Structures are given as C-alpha cells and as structure tokens.
Amino acid sequence: MRWRKVKQNPKSPTQAKHKANSALPPTNALPHRLIQELEQNSSDSLQIANFWERGKAQVIDTFMIYLPLLYFLTYVVVGSAQGFRDSTWAPFSGVLIYGILVALLLAFKGQTPGKKAYNLWIVRENGKNVTFAFALLRFFAFLLSGVSIVGIFMPLWRRDKKALHDILLKTLILKKG
C-alpha cells in the first residue's frame, strides 16, 4: 500500500513539508506594484529570498548609499575625519539619514538599489503596501536585529528564511525569478 502512495505522488514527504512551510501569500494579497511587475515578466516565479541574497543586497546598499553619505558628512559637513570622529552627533545623524533614504526607497519603489540588483522585494504579509513610516520602523528593527547578531543570522536556520525584524514586523523578502 505504501508503495502505491509513493508511486502516485512522487514528491517526497520532506519536499511537501518544506513547500508548505515556505508558502508564499496568494497573489491577490501582494501589493499592486509587485503584481504589475510580475505580470510584465510572467515567466518569473516568486520565491522567498535566502540569507546570502539578502546579504549581498545589503552590501550593495552600504556601498551605494551609506558610504557616500558618510563621505559627504565627514568632509563636507564636518570638515575632516578627525572632526567626524570627535563629533557626537555626526555618526548618529549618518545612520538616521541612511534610514530615511532607505525608507523612502522602500515606500516608493519597494526596493533599494541592492535589492533591485538581485530582484528582491519587501512586502508585508497582510498585503498592504510598505509605507514610509513602516519602512522607517523596519529599519530601526533591522538595527535591533544587527545589535543582537542572532537576529540577522536567523534566516540561516529558519525554514521561512525570516530575520528578527521580518518576524517582528511581519514582512517578507521575495525573490523574483
């Protein structure tokens, strides 16, 4: 009897279990912009982004947004590297401005440059669009995840591939293709 069940359903039970745990929300629950983008490239499928794709996107964002911002703050606003190191407000304002820029990009595009390079999208589980306030809150939750280190590395062992800030704010990082 067991052989017949296996023969009729060639997928192993572990594949079915894994697929159920990493299930994506139904297409009608996704934000309108993402649905339009997917309709244009209908051959692409949605997947949950893994840890390495997310990490590479973050590295690109750091080099494209945060480092130029720090350079501008250091040499244009403060005037020197020593002045930047001695300043109490400059590092905090750099992180805050970076968070605002990332939140603006996520609110209007759903992606940062790094996420765009790897076809990653940030969506909310309930289907609502990511707003500026929500994206800024997500950025501060990302900082909390980074401080706890374990929060950033959670996608390595979780089946749904969510980091701490994704769990707290119920967001998904989807990969197209």
Side-chain angles (χ1 to χ4, degrees), residues 106-122:
L106 291 178
F108 291 112
K109 301 275 186 178
Q111 301 173 302
T112 58
K115 287 177 178 47
K116 187 171 180 82
Y118 290 100
N119 286 325
L120 304 180
W121 294 81
I122 295 180

Side-chain angles (χ1 to χ4, degrees), residues 92-103:
F92 294 113
S93 63
V95 171
L96 182 64
I97 294 169
Y98 175 66
I100 290 170
L101 290 173
V102 167

Side-chain angles (χ1 to χ4, degrees), residues 2 5 19 22 40 60 75 86 96 109 114 130 151 154:
R2 169 122 170 81
K5 287 182 183 177
K19 197 168 229 179
S22 65
Q40 291 174 359
I60 290 174
Y75 295 107
D86 293 339
L96 182 64
K109 301 275 186 178
V130 175
M154 286 176 78

